[in-house]
Amino acid sequence: MNTPLGGIGLGAAGIVVLCSMDAVAKALGAHLPTFEVVFVRFLGAAVWLVLWIWLSRGAWPKRSNLKRHIMRGALFTVTAFMFFYAVSHLPLAIAAALAMTAPVYVTGLGMLALREPVRLQPVIALVLGGIGSAIIVFGGGDAVTGGSADILAWGAAILAPLCYALTLVLLKHHSGDESAAAITLAQSVVAAAFTLPLAASNFVIPTGIVAGQAVLIGLLGAGGFLLLINGLKRVPVSVFAVLDYTGLIWAAVFGWLFFAEVPGLELYLGGALIIAACATGARTSQKPVAA
């Protein structure tokens, strides 16, 4: 797995896990305030990661990297709040489709901040993925809105990808500092600490199935980012960003399975272009890249 293609595989698996986490967040959003959903997501991830590091005898986060952990944790908090609010008020596939602007931001930031070279294949992949996403978003007619006129939800869905792109570039930049588990634990603790005062004012004690979902969202968040960070260590962030397009397909699948959000023909047409985009990005990863 210590190859660029291994990084692609880890990243793809991480996106599946994180999309399933988004589905759980949507379910929780019907019962808990958004800030509480964000809080239990990060607190749960921290608990699971403490257990993982302890059992595996791994390295704990370094205090010398505290500023970096705080920076990422703050961005994660903002990103998670906006996206979880969006998925709670919009169809899951639509929120994911709007999130597909993130690769454009990631590629630009990767070239500016990380000085990654501009290559033709990632650009082609981004164009294919963008067209596929546009087909899904604009080809669904009334289904696109899901009956929602919540301006805040649409604004959150549009701004969340920019925050996510900044977070992804920071993760790539910091991925060599510590192990994936230590990085994920530190940023989860910081994000939980940021969110706690906001969640405490209107905290609802989860019970029954909701309590199980609150536990599950932390596990999925921890596992997803472990896979994501390990993948980022092996490929350029611009190539890795193309994998985000697969999240749109998984969001549609989970939306159909759990929320009766039936996808239309536009999903299959757009999905084919998204898969082509990922294949193009994977070919770029064949060239060894220093992480």
Side-chain angles (χ1 to χ4, degrees):
M1 298 295 284
N2 292 319
T3 63
L5 280 180
I8 291 286
L10 288 169
I15 288 167
V16 175
V17 174
L18 290 175
C19 282
S20 62
M21 181 197 72
D22 294 338
V24 175
K26 181 176 178 65
L28 282 173
H31 304 281
L32 304 177
T34 303
F35 278 122
E36 185 174 346
V37 175
V38 177
F39 174 69
V40 297
R41 176 259 185 269
F42 286 117
L43 178 64
V47 172
W48 285 109
L49 287 163
V50 166
L51 183 61
W52 168 263
I53 293 175
W54 179 65
L55 290 176
S56 64
R57 297 182 179 180
W60 297 96
K62 299 176 183 177
R63 284 187 293 179
S64 58
N65 289 326
L66 181 60
K67 290 183 179 179
R68 291 187 168 194
H69 295 321
I70 292 174
M71 188 186 307
R72 290 194 311 272
L75 276 173
F76 267 110
T77 302
V78 174
T79 303
F81 170 74
M82 288 194 294
F83 188 74
F84 287 176
Y85 184 85
V87 298
S88 297
H89 296 79
L90 298 173
L92 186 61
I94 299 308
L98 292 173
M100 291 304 102
T101 54
V104 178
Y105 298 134
V106 168
T107 300
L109 290 170
M111 290 184 293
L112 290 174
L114 304 179
R115 297 182 180 178
E116 291 184 349
V118 180
R119 296 178 182 175
L120 180 60
Q121 283 181 320
V123 173
I124 293 174
L126 287 169
V127 171
L128 288 174
I131 293 173
S133 298
I135 289 174
I136 292 173
V137 172
F138 299 111
D142 293 338
V144 171
T145 65
S148 174
D150 191 330
I151 296 177
L152 289 177
W154 286 99
I158 292 169
L159 291 176
L162 177 57
C163 288
Y164 174 71
L166 289 169
T167 303
L168 204 62
V169 171
L170 278 178
L171 272 174
K172 173 66 177 178
H173 185 55
H174 299 167
S175 62
D177 290 351
E178 304 180 57
S179 69
I183 289 175
T184 308
L185 172 58
Q187 65 198 21
S188 296
V189 170
V190 171
F194 279 141
T195 314
L196 176 58
L198 301 170
S201 62
N202 192 25
F203 198 85
V204 177
I205 298 177
T207 58
I209 294 177
V210 177
Q213 292 171 338
V215 174
L216 180 60
I217 194 173
L219 176 61
L220 294 173
F225 268 97
L226 284 176
L227 292 166
L228 200 70
I229 294 172
N230 276 304
L232 274 170
K233 289 182 177 182
R234 293 164 173 80
V235 294
V237 70
S238 57
V239 173
F240 190 88
V242 178
L243 285 174
D244 273 348
Y245 285 128
T246 61
L248 183 53
I249 299 174
W250 289 112
V253 170
F254 292 141
W256 172 66
L257 285 175
F258 302 116
F259 306 106
E261 297 170 356
V262 181
L265 177 62
E266 66 278 356
L267 173 69
Y268 302 103
L269 294 176
L273 289 175
I274 289 168
I275 292 171
C278 293
T280 304
R283 289 191 60 181
T284 305
S285 73
Q286 297 282 352
K287 299 180 180 181
V289 179

